[in-house]
């Protein structure tokens, strides 16, 4: 009987391990293929790179008031370095159309010490009056506060620090006895004077006397000027954050903010303002648990990879990095 031809051998089906290895290899290849180009050190040092990241992370959401004030800080630093066109485009992209745009700074006045002293004197003159009515019973607390502030200023001028500190503490006690809204305004004013005099701990104690009331306080112009001089900026920004961007108070704040930024960017001697921007508050330092101090340390040490890790996909943190890079850059020759 003839032999029956053997049937051809069937190929063995591939095991699950081989399929898994193939999938992993394909995944690694695809990850490598679509991996973005590494960011160069020059790009990392460019503030506009971080502004672009912030825009990407922000998406279609409206920027916050703090973020828009950050943009003004970045733009004015760029103008100081001769990049006015880039700064204009940046502001047109981020700022509301109702906000006034930057005008060329008066370089002649900026370089004239006499003009600067005259302007500073005029600014001081507008903030010396305590815009509060008389206290109940005609006890004259507002007059007492104004007198204590003037006496404290004279004491600091003569380097009698302890006397100046005591007079400001007395002013804070008198302010706490006032009715609202005079009480709130007077306490903020005293806290600003304490912070400006290097008494941050006393300023923190003074602000603890503030009563907790619904809504945000409305700061008059003279008080905003006082608080700006004392670097109590965060409370002012927070009080305007819930208002519409075209609200007159917000537009006025944006104008004031630009003037303040231009003054500070020329002087380059305001480390707290450079570090924290709109979050600057001498009466309540930023806790070490937040990313702000770590961002500052990373950018200052040129560890921008670490800064990127800290910022993550937070657009506000990316703008903070851009602000630090723009303000820490060497001024033009």
């Amino acid at each position: 009987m003839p032999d029956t031809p053997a049937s051809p051998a069937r190929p063995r089906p591939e095991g699950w391990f081989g399929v898994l290895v193939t999938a992993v290899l394909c995944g690694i290849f695809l990850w490598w293929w679509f991996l973005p180009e590494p960011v160069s050190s020059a790009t990392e040092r460019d503030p506009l790179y971080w502004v672009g990241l912030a825009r990407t992370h922000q998406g279609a959401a409206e920027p916050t008031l703090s973020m828009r004030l950050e943009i003004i800080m970045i733009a004015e630093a760029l103008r100081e370095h001769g990049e006015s066109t880039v700064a204009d485009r940046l502001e047109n992209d981020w700022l509301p159309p109702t906000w006034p745009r930057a005008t060329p700074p008066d370089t002649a006045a900026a370089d004239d010490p006499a003009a600067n002293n005259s302007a500073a004197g005029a600014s001081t003159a507008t903030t010396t009056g305590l815009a509060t009515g008389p206290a109940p019973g005609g006890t004259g607390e507002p007059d007492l506060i104004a007198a204590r502030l003037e006496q404290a200023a004279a004491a600091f001028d003569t380097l009698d620090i302890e006397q100046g500190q005591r007079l400001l503490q007395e002013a804070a006690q008198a302010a706490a006895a006032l009715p609202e809204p005079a009480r709130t305004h007077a306490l903020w004013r005293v806290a600003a004077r304490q912070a400006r005099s290097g008494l941050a701990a006393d300023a923190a104690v003074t602000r603890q006397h503030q009563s907790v009331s619904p809504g945000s306080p409305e700061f008059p112009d003279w008080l905003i000027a006082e608080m700006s001089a004392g670097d109590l900026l965060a409370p002012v920004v927070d009080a305007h954050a819930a208002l519409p961007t075209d609200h007159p108070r917000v537009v006025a704040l944006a104008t004031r903010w630009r003037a303040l930024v231009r003054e500070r960017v020329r002087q380059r001697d305001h480390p707290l303002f450079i570090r924290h921007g709109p979050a600057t508050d001498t009466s309540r330092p930023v806790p070490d648990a937040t990313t702000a101090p770590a961002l500052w340390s990373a950018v200052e040490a040129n560890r921008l990879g670490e800064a990127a890790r800290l910022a993550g996909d937070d657009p506000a943190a990316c703008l903070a990095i851009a602000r630090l890079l723009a303000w820490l850059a060497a001024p033009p020759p």
Side-chain angles (χ1 to χ4, degrees):
M1 185 173 184
D3 295 335
T4 305
S7 59
R10 295 181 180 180
R12 294 179 58 187
E14 187 175 2
W16 64 269
F17 181 75
V19 174
L20 180 62
V21 170
T22 303
V24 169
L25 292 176
C26 289
I28 293 174
F29 173 77
L30 292 175
W31 172 81
W32 172 81
W33 183 261
F34 291 105
L35 191 68
E37 292 291 330
V39 180
S40 67
S41 59
T43 300
E44 280 188 327
R45 297 293 303 174
D46 187 353
L48 296 180
Y49 166 73
W50 297 95
V51 174
L53 281 182
R55 171 56 76 188
T56 300
H57 297 323
Q58 185 69 10
E62 282 292 312
T64 64
L65 176 60
S66 272
M67 293 169 67
R68 285 174 164 142
L69 297 180
E70 289 270 29
I71 289 295
I72 292 178
M73 291 189 71
I74 298 166
E76 289 298 334
L78 292 175
R79 289 189 179 95
E80 187 72 5
H81 289 78
E83 301 182 49
S84 297
T85 303
V86 176
D88 291 342
R89 290 202 300 264
L90 189 64
E91 291 189 346
N92 289 334
D93 181 36
W94 283 83
L95 301 186
T98 54
W99 286 20
R101 292 302 186 259
T103 56
D106 187 353
T107 54
D111 296 333
D112 184 0
N116 287 336
N117 291 338
S118 175
S123 175
T124 303
T126 61
T127 61
T128 52
L130 182 60
T132 59
T139 54
E141 283 86 350
D143 294 334
L144 175 61
I145 294 170
R148 290 292 182 270
L149 293 179
E150 292 178 5
Q151 293 166 3
F156 288 123
D157 287 341
T158 59
L159 300 182
D160 191 351
I161 307 301
E162 291 184 0
Q163 174 71 354
Q165 182 178 20
R166 182 184 62 79
L167 289 167
L168 289 179
Q169 290 172 348
E170 291 178 0
Q173 293 170 3
L178 294 174
E180 294 292 354
R183 181 180 189 276
T184 294
H185 293 167
L187 284 171
W188 279 123
R189 186 184 187 195
V190 174
R193 290 293 184 95
Q194 289 172 321
R196 195 165 68 179
S197 302
L199 304 172
D202 285 2
V205 172
T206 298
R207 73 178 293 167
Q208 290 176 0
H209 293 296
Q210 296 283 17
S211 57
V212 179
S213 57
S216 299
E218 181 173 348
F219 295 111
D221 289 343
W222 63 264
L223 183 54
I224 293 177
E226 286 272 9
M227 296 178 70
S228 298
D231 273 343
L232 271 71
L233 300 171
V236 176
V237 175
D238 292 343
H240 291 74
L243 298 174
T245 57
D246 58 350
H247 193 284
R249 285 170 54 194
V250 177
V251 176
L253 177 64
T255 304
R256 277 185 175 276
W257 184 262
R258 187 183 299 280
L260 175 68
V261 168
R262 284 190 170 183
E263 173 195 352
R264 299 289 179 87
V265 77
R266 292 193 193 105
Q267 296 175 0
R268 300 177 62 84
D269 189 25
H270 298 273
L272 196 66
F273 185 64
I274 296 173
R275 293 186 185 194
H276 303 312
T280 301
D281 186 353
T282 46
S283 67
R284 183 172 291 175
V286 177
D288 291 339
T290 65
T291 59
L295 276 180
W296 164 264
S297 300
V299 174
E300 189 180 33
N302 201 30
R303 300 193 303 268
L304 296 179
E306 179 183 346
R309 179 184 60 79
L310 291 168
D313 57 358
D314 182 0
C318 291
L319 289 181
I321 295 174
R323 180 233 309 150
L324 292 172
L325 289 171
W327 281 64
L328 291 175

